[in-house]
Amino acid sequence: MIIYRLINCSIKRRIILSPNKLRFYTNSYPYQKQTDIDQFANSQVAFPSRTHTCGDLRLNHVNRRVVLSGWAQRIRKLSPELIFLPIRDSYGTTQLVYRSSKLADDTSLVLRNELSQLSTESVICVEGVVIQRSQDTINKNMLTGEIEVEIDKLYCLNPAYTLPFLPSDKKLSSEEVRLKHRYIDLRRDIIQNNLRKRSLVSWTIRDFLVNEGFVEVETPILFKSTPEGAREFVVPTRTKGLFYALTQSPQQYKQLLMTGGIDKYFQIAKCFRDEDLRADRQPEFTQIDLEMSFVKIDDIISLIEKMLVQVWKKVLGIDLTNKVPFQRMTFNEAMRKFGSDKPDTRHGMEIKDISSFISDPSVLSEYYVECLVIKNGIKFLSNSEIESLKLLDNNSEDSKAKCEFHEIKADKLDSWFFNSHILKRSSSLHDSFTKELNIEVGDFVIMNKRKKNLTKSWTLLGRIRSRIITLLQLKDISVISPLKHNFLWIESFPLFTYNDDTGQLASTHHPFTAPLSEDIELLLKNPEKVKGQNYDLILNGVEIGGGSIRIHSPKLQRIIFKKILKLGDEEIKGFEHLTNALGHGCPPHGGIALGFDRLLTIMFETNSIKNVIAFPKTASGNDLTVSSPSEISKEKMEEYGIQLISDN
């Protein structure tokens, strides 16, 4: 006997060769069955082709001989003469049954031995006859629950090692374990269904846009580094000093396509951003990207609404027609009413302007004074939770934005108003204030004074409102209106936002967004007051897309680069390809990009974006299944001119 060792393997193995057998032994799987090359060879030529999937069979197939292939589930041995074995594939599950009384003795013995050696999740093929289940054994939870297959032949195509977890386990293993063995996790029904529905959504969108006259164009993933937005992934080349950057989005390419006369472009595009990750963010993600020439905002919004109506109908069977047109709200209105530029308006709980009740009217030139009333808040929120809300106040970046918290108890119904430092202490104002805001015993009242010229995504009161909604949802207290899928357009964002780190203006979305025509005169005088022709689509409080009408004038684009954003000559030179194109006959154009993964997460009512992506990354950006990112050899680093510099 000759023994060979395999080195540099993640699994330690020995290959033992004998004249007749070649078997693999793996000490990572102490319970695995011995599998030889002979069995592998036989499995390739001996097993028959399946006649049906495991989700096909119904009563009309009774007495038909069938062949099924799939994964063996947990076996149930009621006796040596009666064994049940569910078999699962991508289309469903069918119950197999072994009855020794229906088989010849030699066939029965062979089949029983094969079943006894079968491990869960082994890949098998079976032959048998479809029979009707008795009335008392029908499984109403299975589409195939009225039948079962009496088997007489079993082919083990690939026995499974002992798995780190089973797809059928009700109690899930940790996310880390499931992502490391994602190929097993993919067998779970929820992941299978999500990926199939993802495919259907993708097909529906393509079909809709092609019928609307759009052309699908693939744009390069290897781009160049430009100072337009988030941190990017840099790709070295073998040419010394030259690098690619992975595209953060196809933004500049699709604008070039408009210059090239494509007129209506779309792409389901891969994008890459080297940002800090969150539950709804991945370093590589997919977006539904489109651009149109000679359009206005209303044209783009109308198109997207028609597309989503079709997607919801085709995939979920839900008719959104009565919700079209979707509600539209300006950025300023959203911030005033909900304290957020992506509000979940299903919950109500609007923030009220109480400027007319304040004690010092002189502050109104600079500040808004707001109030949020939580009905029965004292009942629903514990003392510790109320204290946690006050911590949000203490951690506010705006030193002037401090809240007053008032618990309206029976003995304070008439006195709390006069303890406020924000409100004017007047009996008549107390009565009108209480009536206007419908304040009653048991309510929790929060008031705040904040600056008017707000460009942030949240106000302090908006954060507190969002936190309260989360707390109430955790307690299963219904604060959501019957409107299940709530779409909302937010428009007219500030075109520029002050960067806290640099103290300079930065583009709120990206530097290619056109200003509102009525605000153009403010560009050089008061750029912070200029509103953009931009729009975000919000679904249930989550931003699922955003777009704008673009700048098509090369002169205006250069003014924004140089005069507003203060880019240096070298940085502006990095955009020459775009500004040159704008000057060579570029039509007015605009577009939008929808976050495909985020959209699907909400559509499929799953709690993680990872559940709609085949091979997602962890919160630290790692792909545990294939162990990436990984190190590269010194030779390869030298080839690409890379040198590691120690932090020490």
Side-chain angles (χ1 to χ4, degrees):
M1 183 180 296
I2 304 171
I3 299 179
Y4 291 91
R5 285 189 184 276
L6 297 183
I7 61 171
N8 295 330
C9 291
S10 59
I11 298 175
K12 297 177 182 177
R13 292 179 175 175
R14 290 190 301 166
I15 301 180
I16 301 179
L17 284 80
S18 66
N20 301 317
K21 302 286 184 180
L22 175 58
R23 293 174 179 165
F24 287 86
Y25 296 84
T26 306
N27 62 10
S28 296
Y29 301 96
Y31 302 107
Q32 98 182 65
K33 303 293 182 182
Q34 295 182 1
T35 306
D36 57 40
I37 292 296
D38 294 342
Q39 183 183 30
F40 172 77
N42 289 336
S43 72
Q44 295 299 293
V45 297
F47 75 94
S49 299
R50 63 183 177 184
T51 60
H52 299 80
T53 72
C54 296
D56 282 344
L57 301 178
R58 301 292 188 273
L59 286 176
N60 60 306
H61 295 100
V62 168
N63 296 326
R64 187 176 300 183
R65 186 166 183 81
V66 297
V67 178
L68 301 178
S69 296
W71 284 264
Q73 302 302 284
R74 283 192 175 98
I75 198 166
R76 290 185 295 132
K77 298 179 181 178
L78 300 190
S79 70
E81 287 75 35
L82 182 61
I83 300 173
F84 292 101
L85 174 65
I87 182 174
R88 186 203 73 244
D89 66 7
S90 298
Y91 308 96
T93 302
T94 298
Q95 178 166 280
L96 310 176
V97 58
Y98 157 83
R99 290 186 174 94
S100 61
S101 59
K102 299 294 182 73
L103 302 169
D105 290 344
D106 54 345
T107 302
S108 175
L109 181 60
V110 170
L111 188 54
R112 184 192 306 161
N113 288 337
E114 290 174 337
L115 287 169
S116 67
Q117 297 177 34
L118 198 62
S119 57
T120 304
E121 292 297 313
S122 291
V123 181
I124 62 173
C125 175
V126 296
E127 295 184 53
V129 176
V130 181
I131 64 171
Q132 183 175 357
R133 292 198 197 190
S134 61
Q135 199 65 30
D136 58 331
T137 62
I138 290 175
N139 187 341
K140 296 181 180 179
N141 296 321
M142 290 172 56
L143 294 175
T144 59
E146 293 183 292
I147 58 91
E148 56 193 14
V149 176
E150 280 188 342
I151 59 172
D152 49 47
K153 288 185 180 179
L154 183 148
Y155 308 83
C156 184
L157 307 184
N158 198 3
Y161 304 138
T162 299
L163 275 62
F165 64 93
L166 293 176
S168 57
D169 287 344
K170 291 184 179 179
K171 185 178 180 181
L172 292 178
S173 299
S174 69
E175 183 176 81
E176 182 178 359
V177 170
R178 286 184 286 114
L179 289 181
K180 183 174 178 61
H181 305 276
R182 183 64 168 180
Y183 43 84
I184 299 174
D185 199 39
L186 286 171
R187 300 176 196 172
R188 287 197 295 132
D189 286 343
I190 185 172
I191 307 296
Q192 284 272 321
N193 292 337
N194 286 348
L195 291 180
R196 291 178 184 281
K197 286 190 289 187
R198 180 186 179 113
S199 175
L200 181 56
V201 173
S202 175
W203 176 86
T204 304
I205 289 169
R206 280 192 166 94
D207 186 60
F208 170 82
L209 291 175
V210 169
N211 286 333
E212 289 287 328
F214 281 77
V215 180
E216 183 173 11
V217 182
E218 294 182 25
T219 56
I221 288 175
L222 292 174
F223 187 46
K224 63 186 290 187
S225 181
T226 58
E228 65 172 280
R231 187 182 293 114
E232 56 201 5
F233 288 99
V234 175
V235 182
T237 72
R238 287 180 294 168
T239 303
K240 187 176 180 180
L242 297 183
F243 299 85
Y244 291 111
L246 299 182
T247 49
Q248 297 179 35
S249 79
Q251 179 61 47
Q252 295 181 57
Y253 278 122
K254 65 182 181 181
Q255 290 191 248
L256 295 176
L257 288 172
M258 295 303 99
T259 306
I262 294 299
D263 194 68
K264 291 182 178 180
Y265 141 91
F266 87 97
Q267 180 181 190
I268 297 181
K270 275 290 184 186
C271 306
F272 307 86
R273 293 179 188 174
D274 188 12
E275 296 181 308
D276 295 333
L277 303 184
R278 299 193 297 255
D280 62 348
R281 180 183 287 172
Q282 291 271 298
E284 56 177 307
F285 57 95
T286 308
Q287 67 184 34
I288 306 159
D289 199 59
L290 60 89
E291 198 81 2
M292 306 161 68
S293 293
F294 307 107
V295 291
K296 305 291 178 60
I297 291 176
D298 289 349
D299 300 321
I300 297 169
I301 285 178
S302 176
L303 176 88
I304 296 301
E305 290 176 351
K306 283 173 58 181
M307 183 182 78
L308 293 177
V309 166
Q310 189 156 319
V311 168
W312 251 249
K313 184 70 173 178
K314 183 76 174 180
V315 180
L316 301 180
I318 295 173
D319 190 356
L320 295 178
T321 306
N322 61 343
K323 295 183 181 180
V324 174
F326 299 159
Q327 183 183 3
R328 292 166 72 164
M329 188 180 297
T330 66
F331 169 83
N332 285 339
E333 183 184 359
M335 299 305 287
R336 285 199 304 269
K337 289 184 176 180
F338 302 102
S340 171
D341 64 356
K342 41 185 171 292
D344 191 342
T345 56
R346 295 174 300 167
H347 306 281
M349 294 172 58
E350 282 193 21
I351 298 169
K352 303 295 184 181
D353 182 355
I354 56 170
S355 300
S356 59
F357 297 97
I358 68 169
S359 56
D360 184 3
S362 64
V363 304
L364 293 181
S365 60
E366 191 177 352
Y367 292 95
Y368 281 120
V369 187
E370 308 168 314
C371 181
L372 177 64
V373 178
I374 311 302
K375 304 302 293 181
N376 295 311
I378 298 175
K379 174 183 176 183
F380 296 141
L381 299 171
S382 67
N383 290 335
S384 62
E385 288 168 341
I386 290 175
E387 289 303 313
S388 72
L389 299 176
K390 294 178 180 178
L391 286 177
L392 290 176
D393 179 31
N394 293 336
N395 294 330
S396 170
E397 296 176 359
D398 185 356
S399 60
K400 300 290 185 181
K402 295 299 178 184
C403 291
E404 285 187 4
F405 298 86
H406 298 278
E407 299 176 41
I408 312 303
K409 299 179 180 179
D411 59 345
K412 293 184 178 180
L413 182 60
D414 296 323
S415 62
W416 75 270
F417 186 90
F418 300 99
N419 294 327
S420 170
H421 297 290
I422 292 177
L423 301 173
K424 185 182 291 185
R425 300 172 187 180
S426 161
S427 297
S428 60
L429 284 179
H430 166 265
D431 295 340
S432 59
F433 185 88
T434 303
K435 182 178 180 180
E436 185 173 322
L437 276 75
N438 189 28
I439 295 173
E440 302 170 308
V441 173
D443 293 346
F444 185 43
V445 178
I446 312 168
M447 292 181 289
N448 182 51
K449 181 177 71 174
R450 67 164 175 85
K451 289 183 177 179
K452 274 188 175 180
N453 293 329
L454 192 74
T455 56
K456 301 289 185 183
S457 296
W458 293 90
T459 66
L460 175 56
L461 215 50
R463 287 193 180 279
I464 291 174
R465 173 184 178 272
S466 178
R467 175 62 179 160
I468 289 172
I469 289 170
T470 300
L471 291 171
L472 296 180
Q473 287 176 321
L474 290 173
K475 298 179 180 185
D476 291 327
I477 297 171
S478 178
V479 292
I480 298 180
S481 72
L483 200 61
K484 192 171 184 180
H485 297 109
N486 186 25
F487 292 92
L488 171 68
W489 290 102
I490 303 295
E491 305 176 84
S492 302
F493 287 80
L495 193 58
F496 307 107
T497 307
Y498 273 105
N499 185 310
D500 292 334
D501 296 329
T502 64
Q504 292 184 339
L505 287 172
S507 296
T508 302
H509 286 76
H510 57 61
F512 318 117
T513 299
L516 289 175
S517 56
E518 60 266 31
D519 286 354
I520 288 180
E521 292 184 357
L522 297 173
L523 263 177
L524 298 179
K525 300 175 184 177
N526 293 296
E528 67 277 6
K529 293 185 178 181
V530 176
K531 301 292 188 296
Q533 294 190 57
N534 39 14
Y535 34 85
D536 282 356
L537 181 58
I538 313 301
L539 174 56
N540 294 354
V542 178
E543 178 196 333
I544 61 168
S548 66
I549 300 299
R550 323 300 187 186
I551 297 168
H552 64 277
S553 161
K555 292 181 179 179
L556 179 58
Q557 187 67 77
R558 290 191 182 99
I559 287 172
I560 287 177
F561 284 154
K562 193 170 187 69
K563 302 293 185 181
I564 311 296
L565 301 178
K566 308 293 186 184
L567 299 184
D569 291 340
E570 283 301 312
E571 292 176 304
I572 294 174
K573 188 176 180 181
F575 293 108
E576 265 188 0
H577 57 276
L578 180 62
T579 52
N580 286 342
L582 297 181
H584 287 94
C586 179
H589 60 282
I592 193 170
L594 301 180
F596 194 41
D597 310 303
R598 285 188 187 180
L599 176 67
L600 298 178
T601 302
I602 301 174
M603 279 188 70
F604 304 162
E605 297 182 358
T606 183
N607 59 5
S608 172
I609 197 172
K610 297 184 183 73
N611 290 334
V612 300
I613 300 172
F615 296 99
K617 305 288 193 294
T618 65
S620 57
N622 297 324
D623 184 337
L624 298 181
T625 307
V626 299
S627 300
S628 71
S630 61
E631 296 179 350
I632 61 175
S633 67
K634 290 183 179 179
E635 292 77 14
K636 189 163 289 187
M637 284 195 287
E638 289 175 1
E639 184 179 3
Y640 284 92
I642 300 172
Q643 182 178 3
L644 295 182
I645 301 176
S646 173
D647 292 336
N648 299 325

